[in-house]
Amino acid sequence: MSTFEEQAAKAVESGESPGIVVIAKDKHGKLNYSKTFSRNGGTAYKEDSVLAVASMSKLITSVAAAQLVEKGLVTLDEDLSPLLPSLAKLEILTGFADDGTPITRKRKNPITLRQLLTHSSGTAYGFFDPLLARYVEWKKPRPDAGTVDEAFDLPLMFEPGEGFMYSTGIDRAGQLVEKLTGQSLEEYMKQNIWEPLGMTSTTFSPREHPDIQARQVPMSFRNSDKGVVVETGEQGWFEKGLKEPFGGQGIYTTMPDYMKLLHSLLVDDEKVLKKETAAMFFQPQLSPASKESLLKLMRGLEWAIGEFPQTDEYDWSLGGILIDGDKHEFRRKNTMIWSGAANTFWFIDRTAGVCGVFGTQIMPTFDAKSKSLIAAFEEDVYRRAGKL
């Protein structure tokens, strides 16, 4: 079998990938791996290239929200209705009447921060559920919706705490950060996460930072007929028209910057979270009903970037999907993982003592060719660290 580097170089040379940046580190300083791959005639992918990381924003926003808990501004399990009235007013979608109008009912359970961070609050993305997609078609939301309230004024899909659906909950958690601190999400993260970690190329607004914008890599879209990717000036759906920070999808950063957060959580250095708080990012957080809902999803639709074999050993932590067992080939129990729509990917395995990040800019999401490269990279990190 070819090595990851051979596979990545071939993918870039053949036009199957526009470019790749990967970084991996271990807990003890023995592994410090970084590599970039660029194709002739395309945009150069460098270590300091800036990528739209989409849902990789979620981990950073989750850390910000967890800091609020540390500061005593909110708890994980209190009712957030008084703090987030636009979220609190949402009802549960149950179906549609004969004339096509939606049928909703009031929720019974409170919505909590723990639920927002674990995608178990009842909120959802319109494209992940057929019933909600029908609602979006019925509502015909404004095409210029650029605030969290405008973009995600959608009904809940289940009682909070009683299901799982990948969701807009962390964008709502970003609203909570702004509400409780009186700062924009950008200002808060800069002071409390980015500056403490030395993340100097991270922002929600690259246009306001010429140096960052100058290093931004364009989005590429795969030509399904020929299998090659084409760089365009287009944006991904996750970054179009945003008028305020979206904590679940709006961050631009470099892979070295993002690695600083991953490594901080790996070594537990308390630069951004106390040890007891960081521990919850590596512990199961779902209720039994929500976990079963997640497992049902994992058995069906291919909806996650990266390899997730059918082990039935998954939960969700405060920061990402959690490996909840020992059946995986090399991931240890309580490894935390997630990704971004443009086929970016990260993982932290505290037991094995390794973490890694894979950066590219390819749409559409769930790109099969990128998936195989990500799987090869992840396995390569464990091999380089001597953990296979």
Side-chain angles (χ1 to χ4, degrees):
M1 180 183 292
S2 62
T3 67
F4 161 69
E5 289 191 1
E6 290 171 339
Q7 292 178 53
K10 182 178 179 181
V12 170
E13 290 167 5
S14 67
E16 291 183 352
S17 173
I20 302 167
V21 182
V22 292
I23 302 177
K25 292 180 180 289
D26 71 354
K27 190 173 184 178
H28 304 293
K30 296 179 180 179
L31 176 64
N32 187 14
Y33 173 70
S34 65
K35 187 76 175 179
T36 63
F37 303 84
S38 299
R39 61 177 176 168
N40 292 331
T43 299
Y45 274 63
K46 303 176 181 178
E47 272 206 358
D48 67 350
S49 292
V50 174
L51 311 183
V53 295
S55 283
M56 280 174 46
S57 306
K58 288 178 168 64
L59 176 62
I60 304 176
T61 303
S62 296
V63 169
Q67 289 178 339
L68 301 186
V69 177
E70 290 184 343
K71 295 172 182 177
L73 298 177
V74 69
T75 66
L76 283 171
D77 297 309
E78 69 183 76
D79 186 358
L80 298 180
S81 296
L83 297 171
L84 297 175
S86 62
L87 173 63
K89 71 178 179 61
L90 301 178
E91 297 187 352
I92 299 172
L93 180 64
T94 60
F96 290 83
D98 292 340
D99 64 359
T101 57
I103 302 170
T104 62
R105 65 171 177 83
K106 293 186 181 296
R107 61 181 169 85
K108 300 175 184 177
N109 297 347
I111 296 176
T112 69
L113 179 56
R114 192 189 306 272
Q115 293 163 358
L116 292 181
L117 298 183
T118 59
H119 306 284
S120 59
S121 66
T123 60
Y125 287 115
F127 51 85
F128 264 114
D129 182 87
L131 196 66
L132 192 56
R134 182 177 174 185
Y135 178 91
V136 172
E137 177 62 25
W138 170 84
K139 184 180 180 182
K140 291 182 170 50
R142 288 168 40 194
D144 63 341
T147 69
V148 172
D149 282 346
E150 291 170 347
F152 302 138
D153 184 22
L154 302 172
L156 305 179
M157 297 307 297
F158 52 83
E159 280 287 350
E162 297 181 10
F164 177 94
M165 193 170 290
Y166 192 57
S167 74
T168 62
I170 297 173
D171 294 281
R172 297 293 188 172
Q175 286 185 307
L176 184 67
V177 173
E178 294 185 328
K179 174 79 172 183
L180 292 176
T181 66
Q183 296 178 283
S184 73
L185 200 53
E186 171 106 9
E187 292 169 342
Y188 179 85
M189 287 183 175
K190 183 178 180 181
Q191 292 179 14
N192 295 277
I193 301 175
W194 303 340
E195 287 183 347
L197 291 174
M199 296 171 65
T200 58
S201 295
T202 303
T203 182
F204 284 96
S205 305
R207 287 188 299 272
E208 297 177 12
H209 304 274
D211 174 61
I212 293 177
Q213 187 176 33
R215 291 181 278 124
Q216 188 177 339
V217 174
M219 193 61 63
S220 292
F221 291 77
R222 188 170 301 286
N223 182 316
S224 57
D225 295 332
K226 298 182 179 179
V228 299
V229 293
V230 179
E231 287 187 2
T232 74
E234 298 179 58
Q235 297 172 308
W237 56 264
F238 47 89
E239 51 182 311
K240 284 185 178 178
L242 304 190
K243 300 173 185 174
E244 64 183 17
F246 277 51
Q249 66 188 69
I251 289 177
Y252 299 77
T253 190
T254 65
M255 296 304 93
D257 264 20
Y258 203 87
M259 173 53 70
K260 290 174 183 176
L261 174 59
L262 299 181
H263 195 251
S264 176
L265 293 174
L266 174 69
V267 301
D268 209 9
D269 59 15
E270 297 191 283
K271 287 183 178 179
V272 292
L273 290 175
K274 298 176 182 177
K275 290 184 183 295
E276 57 268 28
T277 308
M280 291 190 288
F281 281 69
F282 300 90
Q283 295 168 351
Q285 299 293 328
L286 292 177
S287 69
S290 293
K291 178 175 180 175
E292 182 52 42
S293 182
L294 169 64
L295 293 179
K296 183 178 179 181
L297 184 64
M298 297 299 290
R299 297 177 198 129
L301 180 69
E302 285 284 341
W303 65 282
I305 294 168
E307 292 283 357
F308 291 92
Q310 300 296 309
T311 63
D312 258 8
E313 292 184 332
Y314 299 101
D315 206 291
W316 208 274
S317 74
L318 296 185
I321 198 168
L322 201 71
I323 305 305
D324 189 29
D326 299 306
K327 295 178 183 177
H328 290 259
E329 185 177 357
F330 45 81
R331 297 168 180 160
R332 274 50 164 191
K333 185 175 181 179
N334 295 331
T335 297
M336 180 172 62
I337 301 169
W338 204 234
S339 53
N343 295 286
T344 56
F345 178 88
W346 60 265
F347 69 94
I348 308 172
D349 185 336
R350 276 188 166 185
T351 301
V354 294
C355 62
V357 62
F358 179 103
T360 190
Q361 294 282 264
I362 302 175
M363 293 296 286
T365 307
F366 316 126
D367 177 61
K369 295 181 185 297
S370 298
K371 180 177 181 177
S372 64
L373 288 172
I374 290 168
F377 165 66
E378 189 182 2
E379 184 173 356
D380 188 57
V381 172
Y382 282 84
R383 182 176 293 109
R384 288 176 181 276
K387 298 299 181 179
L388 284 184

